[in-house]
């Protein structure tokens, strides 16, 4: 069987797209919220629903294949003006990891599960909050200008820079890199998780695009 072409396969870096994969457990709460908030932020900042070559997806380590996202997750996305329509849950597969340029997980356990799948995923897999912390420490002037070299090259450089910093910039606490699971919780808890995810995504999307959020 031929391995699917992807980031873990030599020579694929010439692709003109950059895939971001968000991972949680069931792919019905946290990762759908993160996926659709990322897409929304890219669209708002770039005026481009396609995200300038950035493709945003999600899956779950115990994904509810074919399931819709939780109703409370849809309500959270509606609060932010993000599109929740047409979502279908997916179980995390090797091909998703292989094709991803950046994997952002809800927790450290999810990160460990992705890395354990192989495919040279270690240097491009982070928890969302871990990546946020690392991105904040990167001087944007050291990254390629997306107007000159394109969004994809900037995104690749950002991941390399974050990976280089990981061993030097440690989490302030054991739980600092975690996004708690709101599954089965009331809408108030879902909204607090949505706010948490949105705040973590803000510096990430700014670093990826070079465009700050409109205040």
């Amino acid at each position: 069987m031929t391995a699917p072409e992807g980031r873990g396969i030599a020579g694929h870096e010439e692709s003109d797209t950059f895939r971001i994969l968000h991972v949680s457990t069931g792919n019905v709460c946290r990762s759908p919220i993160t996926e659709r908030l990322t897409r929304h932020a890219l669209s708002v900042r770039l005026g481009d629903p396609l995200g300038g070559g950035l493709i945003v997806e999600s899956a779950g380590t115990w994904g509810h294949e074919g399931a819709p996202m939780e109703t409370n997750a849809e309500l959270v996305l509606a609060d932010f003006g993000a599109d929740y329509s047409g979502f279908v849950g997916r179980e995390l597969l090797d091909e998703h990891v292989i094709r991803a340029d950046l994997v952002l997980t809800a927790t450290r356990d999810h990160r460990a599960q992705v890395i354990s799948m192989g495919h040279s995923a270690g240097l491009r897999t982070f928890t969302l909050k871990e990546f946020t912390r690392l991105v904040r420490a990167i001087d944007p002037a050291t990254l390629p200008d997306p107007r000159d070299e394109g969004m994809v090259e900037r995104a690749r450089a950002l991941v390399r820079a974050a990976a280089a910093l990981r061993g030097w910039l440690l989490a302030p606490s054991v739980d600092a890199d975690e996004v708690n699971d709101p599954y089965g919780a009331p809408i108030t808890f879902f909204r607090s998780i949505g706010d948490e995810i949105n705040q973590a995504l803000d510096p990430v999307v700014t670093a990826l695009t070079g465009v700050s959020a409109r205040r």
Side-chain angles (χ1 to χ4, degrees), residues 22 30 33-38 40-41 45 76-77 80 104 127-136 176 178-179 188-207 212-213 215:
H22 293 294
R30 287 169 291 183
I33 290 173
T34 315
E35 172 196 315
R36 293 306 177 92
L37 285 181
T38 305
H40 180 66
R45 296 189 200 202
V76 166
L77 289 170
F80 287 100
L104 297 176
T127 75
L128 171 62
K129 288 187 174 181
E130 174 192 21
F131 195 65
T132 300
R133 186 178 70 256
L134 297 172
V135 160
R136 288 183 185 276
E178 306 279 298
V179 175
T188 51
F189 188 66
F190 264 85
R191 286 191 167 120
S192 71
I193 293 299
D195 288 339
E196 195 175 314
I197 290 171
N198 190 59
Q199 289 174 27
L201 282 174
D202 180 60
V204 170
V205 177
T206 297
S212 299
R215 303 299 182 186

Side-chain angles (χ1 to χ4, degrees), residues 68-169:
M69 76 174 78
E70 286 288 292
T71 299
N72 281 346
E74 293 183 347
L75 293 174
V76 166
L77 289 170
D79 289 343
F80 287 100
D83 181 18
Y84 56 81
S85 64
F87 180 84
V88 178
R90 302 192 304 176
E91 181 178 356
L92 181 66
L93 302 176
D94 289 86
E95 66 189 67
H96 301 144
V97 177
I98 290 170
R99 294 183 190 281
D101 294 281
L102 172 62
V103 184
L104 297 176
T105 70
T107 70
R108 290 169 298 162
D109 282 347
H110 296 132
R111 182 185 65 194
Q113 288 178 67
V114 171
I115 293 172
S116 73
M117 295 171 73
H119 315 303
S120 305
L123 292 178
R124 51 196 166 91
T125 303
F126 310 79
T127 75
L128 171 62
K129 288 187 174 181
E130 174 192 21
F131 195 65
T132 300
R133 186 178 70 256
L134 297 172
V135 160
R136 288 183 185 276
I138 297 169
D139 181 354
T142 64
L143 300 173
D145 188 328
R147 295 168 295 182
D148 298 329
E149 299 184 54
M151 203 77 65
V152 170
E153 286 307 312
R154 181 183 179 93
R156 288 180 182 150
L158 181 67
V159 173
R160 289 194 296 268
L165 278 176
R166 178 153 36 194
W168 299 92
L169 194 62

